Amino acid sequence: MPDLAHKKKPIIQCRNVTKTYVVGDHEVHALRGVDIDFYAGEMTAIMGPSGSGKSTLMNLIGALDTPTSGSLLINGEELSALSSDQLADIRNETIGFVFQQFNLLGRASALTNVKLPLRYSRKHITDIHDRAEECLKMVGLGERMDHKPMQLSGGQQQRVAIARALACSPAVILADEPTGALDTKTSIEIMELLVNLGKQGITVILVTHEQDVADYAHRQLRFRDGQLVSDERRSS
Amino acid sequence: MKIKVAFQSALESLITNPLRSFLTMLGIMIGVASVMAMMAISEGAAQQVDAQISALGANNLTIRPGADRRGGRSSGAASATPFTDKIVERLKQESFAVAVSATNRGSVTVVSGQQNWQTSLYGVNTDYFITQAWQTTEGRLFDEGEEKSGRAYAVIGQTIADTLFEGTNPIGQRIRVNNVPLEVIGILEKKGQSNFGGDRDDIILIPISTARNRILGADPTTGKHVSTMEVSVTDNYDMALVQSQIEDILRDLRRISPGDADDFRVFNIADFIRARSSTQATFGILLAFTAAVSLIVGGVGVMNIMLVSVTERTREIGLRMALGARKADILGQFLIEAIALCFLGGLIGSVLGIGAAKLAANLGDFPVNVSMSIALIALGASVAVGLFFGYFPARRAAKLNPIEALRHD
Ligand SMILES: Nc1ncnc2c1ncn2[C@@H]1O[C@H](COP(=O)(O)OP(=O)(O)OP(=O)(O)O)[C@@H](O)[C@H]1O
Ligand SMILES: [Mg+2]
């Protein structure tokens, strides 16, 4: 499957994407012309030194931020042509985010956290409660639904975040250093969870600094100074 | 915007942060409480004035001898030529007159058995019962024949009945007023305090001819003198017009040459009360205005805390946006938070304000009137304040850039 994956229609396309931040009177070129296609069902790991533009790219792909130049297409749709409401809907329906710092609502239960994206969905999900429970069970937290983030371990919190990312059945999960705040053992559990999601057909794109985490992916991209320097597929 | 979600998110965030919620609505609570208390008190006062006016008869004109008092000079009523029965009869013929009372008043000592008491004695004609709306609770009033023939009858106020007769039935009993024996034929129904503070039930009414002939004495020049007249005017007559008509009639009867000043005064007591109460009303408006200002200050307080809260919750807002909230969803959530807080603050404030007014009423012995409509207006006003002062922070939240909000720390 990985070998054939790139022959299919890409789900995300980056065309000569640049991102320049202006800080005071000098410019920071976070991305300097990036061309990548991401294919449905392919798990991709993005690596590279700190400051090489990995997070910047993730934010652009996730429709959270807009490029300085170039174009981004999700499912063939040009993002720069969309309104802020349409971008919100893409973030809701197509993308699921997993953050390094989990980003859960601290005062809300695990269940309420998972419900958040479901509530904002325009798809008239009839049973938000059931769906949220189902997602928490999928990540193995069926017994911890009423726990607040404070009452959960880091790995469990990241599971809640993954359940939340899964809630609206996204095509793509974007995980920026999902194991960055976790120990090795917990990292392995989280990675296995993500690999499993990949097997179910979800396109998982993750950023990591660790080679053994990246080795879970079918495809490894390397960045340096805002540019793509290598793009390798695993053949096994 | 998904209204239900906005409500859900707003209420969840209010409940999970009770201290912040309480502090936010504190200003509104105090504002509404003071509006409610002020309004209840000034409404109560206004109602009391209305009651006083209607008790007096809003359509009554009082006529007294003596020139108008101006510039501090008083040409005392006592020294002025009194009116006469003739003038009273003349005024009764006018179509505007429902009744024309004649009164001679004096301070007397009344004795019954061992008890004696200082009180006011009114020698009155029977029209006085109409102009003053007197009725009896026991016994009866005297009629016109009895008044004209000068019967030794007395109708006594409740206070006199209570003081002199303590439980025994006064009807048919004798009292001595300045040593003149009178028979009690009726007890007046209780009227309570007058608007000038006097006890209106501390009174004895007797036929005016009896008063003149036997107790208060007659005026040597006119014989059948009357010191005060009161005219009840038919509804729908213009009081000012009637007043000047009466003045013309009296000038004519009392032969006052054109150009000379009146030697009597015609006035409307209701006007005095209204004038007095209008100062109270001005004061009430001032208080209500102060209260409204505090409501606005409360609103500014809500805005401040909401703005701080938006800054403090920037990451949460960014997260919600990353999860698919549209700008309108965020706007709605924060707007509803502000409105809900103001509504709740208004509700608690209303209850506190009404409670405070009732407490003040109990301690200070003045009337309050809590009207449902004012409570509703206060609630409406707090919702409006929430909408108005919540909009700015809510819009600020909605305008945040998702990625910048998410990175905020
Ligand atoms: N909001 C911003 N304003 C200014 N400069 C920024 C901003 N965000 C990122 N940068 C700069 O852009 C470059 C790329 O940053 P980015 O966060 O994408 O790096 P990264 O590859 O994710 O690094 P790390 O591995 O440390 O997370 C860096 O030089 C960074 O300083
Ligand atoms: Mg990064």
Side-chain angles (χ1 to χ4, degrees), chain B residues 313-324:
Chain B
R313 290 159 68 189
T314 301
R315 267 175 83 92
E316 176 199 325
I317 295 163
L319 174 69
R320 286 177 186 274
M321 287 175 161
L323 298 181

Side-chain angles (χ1 to χ4, degrees), chain A residues 89 91-92 103 119 121, chain B residues 2 12 315 321 323 326:
Chain A
D89 292 352
R91 293 195 289 268
N92 184 253
N103 276 348
R119 285 185 186 160
S121 171
Chain B
K2 304 183 79 177
E12 262 171 20
R315 267 175 83 92
M321 287 175 161
L323 298 181
R326 294 182 178 184

Side-chain angles (χ1 to χ4, degrees), chain B residues 104-135:
Chain B
N104 288 346
R105 181 184 168 281
S107 280
V108 296
T109 305
V110 51
V111 181
S112 165
Q114 302 300 316
Q115 310 285 343
N116 70 75
W117 184 250
Q118 284 287 326
T119 187
S120 295
L121 176 99
Y122 286 74
V124 298
N125 66 356
T126 50
D127 272 16
Y128 184 79
F129 304 134
I130 301 170
T131 59
Q132 291 293 306
W134 276 120
Q135 273 165 352

Side-chain angles (χ1 to χ4, degrees), chain B residues 25 28-29 339-349 379:
Chain B
M25 68 189 185
I28 288 290
M29 226 162 78
I339 293 172
L341 282 175
C342 288
F343 180 79
L344 198 65
L347 206 64
I348 299 174
L379 276 187

